[in-house]
Amino acid sequence: MSDSPQSFVRCLKEFERAASGASGDAEPDEWTEIAESLKLAIMAIDPSALHEDPGFWHSLLIDCGER
């Protein structure tokens, strides 16, 4: 999941930042861009967070990108 609770919290804050930038009627391409940006941010914070597939972050990124 994450390397530490602190890393997980930082990833959650990054998710909140990324998701708050999109409107409720955002186009699918916009959500795909948000998901890709979030993936890069998570990898920069804690690369181990994406080691589990499927895992929490993988599932969230898929859900975000497929909106």
Side-chain angles (χ1 to χ4, degrees):
M1 181 135 157
S2 280
D3 204 23
S4 69
Q6 293 83 5
S7 294
F8 183 68
V9 169
R10 288 179 57 206
C11 290
L12 285 174
K13 287 181 181 180
E14 193 60 37
F15 170 74
E16 181 179 37
R17 183 203 58 77
S20 68
S23 63
D25 59 348
E27 296 294 320
D29 287 346
E30 186 177 351
W31 282 108
T32 300
E33 289 177 23
I34 290 170
E36 185 59 32
S37 174
L38 180 58
K39 179 180 177 180
L40 294 173
I42 290 170
M43 288 173 45
I45 294 168
D46 180 8
S48 72
L50 296 173
H51 285 179
E52 290 182 41
D53 186 9
F56 176 78
W57 291 112
H58 277 284
S59 295
L60 189 131
L61 291 170
I62 289 170
D63 290 347
C64 184
E66 292 181 353
R67 263 184 151 224

